[in-house]
Amino acid sequence: MSKTATLTVDGNSYELPIIEGSENELAINISKLRGASGLITIDPGFKNTGSTRSGITFLNGEEGILRYRGYSIEDLAEKSSFLEVAYLLIYGALPTQAEFSSFQEQITHHTLVHEDIKKILDGFPSEAHPMGVMSSLVTAQTAFYPESLDPNRSWDAVNLSIIRILAKMPTFAAWAYKNEIGHPVNYPDNRLNYTENFLKMMFALPAAEYEVDPIVADALDKLLILHADHEQNCSTATVRVVGSSQASLYASLSAGINALWGPLHGGANQAVIEMLEMIKADGGNIEKYIAKAKDKDDPFRLMGFGHRVYKNFDPRARIIKKAADDVLGKLGVDDPVLEIAKKIEEVALEDEYFVQRSLYPNVDFYSGIIYRAMGIPTEMFTVMFALGRLPGWIAQWKEMRENGEPIGRPRQVYTGSTLRDYVDINNR
Ligand code: CMC
């Protein structure tokens, strides 16, 4: 028999169905509550609100579990490739060799972007943050492919939009960087795989040989896998809500990029390095900054610490911490901020304040250190996160459309003035 919950308000009882997920998660379905009772529920920041039923990513924050389509993040990070994970997230199953070859071939075929993209890039001052450039270039795809605006397109047409954006995103990212530093852009090299091609477009200089370092390419691939999806986080929820109005895939993804940009979400990786640099420049006084983070009158937070859903440990952070040691060792990079990061982690994990609030290092505490060792500049870190999260956003957008989900439109509890008379401007 299916479970129900009973809500009693002012002596009236309402029976609410309980939905059960495949990992035995329970949720009270309140979708008909307002019709029956006039009541709504309120939950700022949606901390305890499920917005959808999803078959893409399973996350258990208490036990530190993260799985894409049932496969553990540990397995995927060790054995898979980013492009294979992208296929898994978007199409729901690991590809056969033939499916993967065809997918890879289609992506390779679409890496080139329209030459007029350069004119758009030219319009940006070099100080432009690359996340702003990225979101603009992704929205600009609607101008180059106006048929993508039609919400009633065939599945094949939607799939072509998906392939196009997966293929072009590394080109946009590398070009945003080249524009920032005033260098000529590099065109995609279709002999290389997804990650290698991106690295070459980022770092190759005119009239100079460029060899992709396999250690760097492997590490980047792993980082992209770790960021590929994370169920209903701020940017993904944004993509789904924007897409629920039947806005195009490109417009929805662009909104996701903007949501990711903030320092409390994807912008944290940039903020972590800036914080570690600041602590280093200030003499490496870790205790001082731990005290600042604990002081409620001080806006300073320990960036890279805490997570909305992980309350024990972030499984991605474990993989990344190990990778940081490994990559820096292999590349022979001795970065003093890695030592500061490790010390902060050590001190915070023993500190009452952090323990009581279940604040642990998150995925971005160490990712910036690896990006830096690869030569990726700080302001590009969040772009790297966006590159990784792209297949997750696409998969979630596609699922939302396939489920025929209604337009996202929350309610509110109004706390403003009650009705009052208009007063003429001369009498105020
Ligand atoms: N440093 C100091 N105190 C903190 C921190 C921190 N990094 N994070 C949370 N707290 C405190 C917070 O002040 C509050 O204390 P109190 O209960 O005394 O008021 C308590 O812990 C709960 O915090 P919250 O802000 O209510 O928790 P949240 O679930 O709304 O926020 C968070 C989660 C990630 C926004 C937050 O922990 C944070 O700001 N962390 C730093 C930014 C960061 O690293 N973000 C990246 C997240 S991982 C990448 C991603 O998936 O986006």
Side-chain angles (χ1 to χ4, degrees):
M1 233 184 58
S2 46
K3 292 179 185 155
T4 58
T6 306
L7 176 73
T8 306
V9 182
D10 291 340
N12 297 317
S13 290
Y14 308 96
E15 197 160 273
L16 303 166
I18 289 187
I19 297 169
E20 190 162 353
S22 51
E23 291 283 350
N24 311 114
E25 290 173 307
L26 300 177
I28 302 170
N29 182 348
I30 52 106
S31 59
K32 297 208 163 57
L33 178 64
R34 187 169 181 278
S37 66
L39 292 163
I40 63 161
T41 55
I42 189 156
D43 180 19
F46 313 119
K47 289 194 177 198
N48 198 42
T49 296
S51 58
T52 189
R53 301 179 202 210
S54 178
I56 302 170
T57 288
F58 173 65
L59 195 164
N60 179 325
E62 283 70 36
E63 292 178 31
I65 295 173
L66 175 62
R67 296 184 200 137
Y68 301 157
R69 302 277 188 191
Y71 298 99
S72 82
I73 191 66
E74 289 80 8
D75 251 12
L76 293 170
E78 192 192 327
K79 298 171 190 162
S80 188
S81 68
F82 175 62
L83 215 52
E84 188 180 55
V85 166
Y87 185 101
L88 170 70
L89 286 167
I90 296 168
Y91 303 108
L94 284 171
T96 61
Q97 185 59 59
E99 285 165 341
F100 187 64
S101 301
S102 151
F103 181 58
Q104 204 166 20
E105 206 177 291
Q106 289 176 66
I107 300 243
T108 306
H109 183 73
H110 287 282
T111 49
L112 207 57
V113 302
H114 196 289
E115 277 295 291
D116 284 349
I117 287 286
K118 280 192 192 159
K119 293 188 193 152
I120 301 179
L121 266 179
D122 279 348
F124 282 98
S126 60
E127 301 80 36
H129 194 286
M131 283 295 275
V133 176
M134 290 299 285
S135 77
S136 307
L137 294 183
V138 172
T139 304
Q141 290 308 285
T142 57
F144 294 99
Y145 306 103
E147 68 283 1
S148 65
L149 295 170
D150 176 4
N152 301 314
R153 288 175 305 151
S154 66
W155 158 244
D156 282 349
V158 173
N159 195 43
L160 183 57
S161 294
I162 291 175
I163 295 287
R164 278 199 173 115
I165 194 66
L166 277 170
K168 294 180 199 309
M169 190 87 154
T171 316
F172 291 154
W175 284 21
Y177 170 60
K178 289 291 191 192
N179 185 62
E180 186 192 341
I181 57 171
H183 285 184
V185 299
N186 289 317
Y187 286 91
D189 181 340
N190 289 343
R191 293 164 301 181
L192 301 176
N193 73 24
Y194 197 80
T195 322
E196 292 166 347
N197 175 44
F198 167 71
L199 287 168
K200 185 168 177 193
M201 285 191 290
M202 271 289 284
F203 295 120
L205 294 169
E209 284 298 313
Y210 178 81
E211 283 282 327
V212 178
D213 183 333
I215 296 167
V216 171
D218 279 359
L220 179 57
D221 210 67
K222 193 178 288 221
L223 283 171
L224 296 180
I225 293 174
L226 294 181
H227 285 92
D229 196 45
H230 213 228
E231 49 121 292
Q232 307 310 315
N233 56 84
C234 175
S235 58
T236 303
T238 299
V239 169
R240 285 184 90 124
V241 169
V242 172
S244 75
S245 74
Q246 300 197 344
S248 78
L249 173 67
Y250 300 132
S252 310
L253 294 172
S254 174
I257 292 172
N258 286 319
L260 185 74
W261 194 352
L264 297 189
H265 189 13
N269 51 17
Q270 172 171 346
V272 169
I273 285 289
E274 286 166 355
M275 174 190 79
L276 294 174
E277 282 292 354
M278 181 176 74
I279 297 174
K280 190 178 124 228
D282 197 20
N285 187 347
I286 285 156
E287 278 71 23
K288 173 178 163 188
Y289 285 92
I290 297 270
K292 273 166 78 65
K294 287 157 55 174
D295 180 356
K296 293 289 161 204
D297 296 325
D298 190 324
F300 177 80
R301 279 193 168 198
L302 214 48
M303 298 314 289
F305 259 75
H307 200 275
R308 170 60 61 80
V309 287
Y310 292 120
K311 299 301 176 196
N312 194 350
F313 68 93
D314 177 343
R316 304 166 302 170
R318 284 198 171 170
I319 300 172
I320 256 182
K321 184 181 176 186
K322 198 180 156 292
D325 269 334
D326 200 35
V327 174
L328 267 62
K330 282 187 191 156
L331 294 176
V333 174
D334 182 18
D335 190 340
V337 305
L338 179 61
E339 283 318 304
I340 294 183
K342 283 183 176 171
K343 278 196 199 132
I344 290 179
E345 182 179 350
E346 236 174 78
V347 176
L349 291 184
E350 294 292 314
D351 190 293
E352 252 319 81
Y353 174 95
F354 293 90
V355 174
Q356 259 177 10
R357 290 168 181 75
S358 301
L359 301 170
Y360 298 87
N362 59 51
V363 67
D364 285 326
F365 193 62
Y366 287 104
S367 66
I369 294 172
I370 309 186
Y371 287 138
R372 211 152 86 135
M374 291 173 178
I376 291 171
T378 315
E379 67 285 0
M380 283 294 289
F381 291 177
T382 315
V383 173
M384 307 311 298
F385 192 155
L387 211 54
R389 185 56 54 89
L390 181 65
W393 288 333
I394 294 171
Q396 301 268 354
W397 182 92
K398 178 171 166 275
E399 181 183 68
M400 179 271 307
R401 281 292 174 87
E402 285 167 354
N403 287 352
E405 288 181 15
I407 186 166
R409 203 299 186 189
R411 289 196 174 260
Q412 63 167 19
V413 173
Y414 176 67
T415 59
S417 287
T418 52
L419 181 65
R420 43 186 171 168
D421 287 332
Y422 177 79
V423 180
D424 187 85
I425 195 159
N426 298 314
N427 298 326
R428 282 173 214 160

